[in-house]
Amino acid sequence: MVELGRDEALKLLGTVQLGRVAFTDQALPAIRPVNHLVDAGGIIVRTHGGSALLGRALQSEVVAYEADEIDAATRTGWTVVITGTATRILDPGALARYRSLLMPWVDAEMGHVVRIQPEIVSGYRLVGVAGP
């Protein structure tokens, strides 16, 4: 594994659409798959009104976000984890912009937008190894 710098890690995160957000729900760890976009260094996700993630964002709590692209056959790829504060986007202009740029992957009303502002960014590039 080769450690990535912050800029390269965020750039790679912007090349994929799907990741996993980790947060606390009822005092236990919870992980949800979500699609995202990277904008101005922040991770943007959409969610529905009753989501546990939205509840965390209302309180500006710390969450983690992970995405990767790994080829099991060649044992190559990369993985990136960010840790930062999740906050709900309330500005009408920003909401409209993100709703037009980020289409939910699920067939549900996902009218709320959350920004995760990276405070800690870590990532690794996986380089191939010879046989098993």
Side-chain angles (χ1 to χ4, degrees):
M1 293 189 339
V2 176
E3 190 169 2
L4 301 172
R6 179 185 178 96
D7 291 342
E8 184 178 8
L10 288 172
K11 183 177 178 181
L12 287 169
L13 194 60
T15 67
V16 295
Q17 297 179 9
L18 187 65
R20 290 152 295 282
V21 62
F23 54 94
T24 302
D25 185 22
Q26 298 180 25
L28 296 171
I31 299 173
R32 302 284 187 275
V34 294
N35 63 314
H36 71 271
L37 65 87
V38 177
D39 184 60
I43 311 309
I44 308 298
V45 299
R46 290 181 61 179
T47 191
H48 60 88
S51 78
L53 174 61
L54 185 61
R56 304 284 63 86
L58 291 173
Q59 299 170 31
S60 295
E61 289 193 13
V62 173
V63 301
Y65 193 81
E66 188 269 344
D68 50 49
E69 188 169 73
I70 298 172
D71 183 328
T74 63
R75 300 179 183 186
T76 60
W78 56 268
T79 184
V80 170
V81 176
I82 66 130
T83 305
T85 305
T87 55
R88 184 174 172 191
I89 302 274
L90 297 173
D91 176 72
L95 279 172
R97 180 171 174 267
Y98 291 134
R99 287 176 182 156
S100 71
L101 291 174
L102 184 59
M103 297 299 122
W105 282 20
V106 296
D107 186 20
E109 186 280 322
M110 303 290 255
H112 301 279
V113 178
V114 172
R115 170 186 290 277
I116 304 168
Q117 190 59 43
E119 295 168 25
I120 300 170
V121 178
S122 63
Y124 295 92
R125 186 172 300 283
L126 308 174
V127 294
V129 296

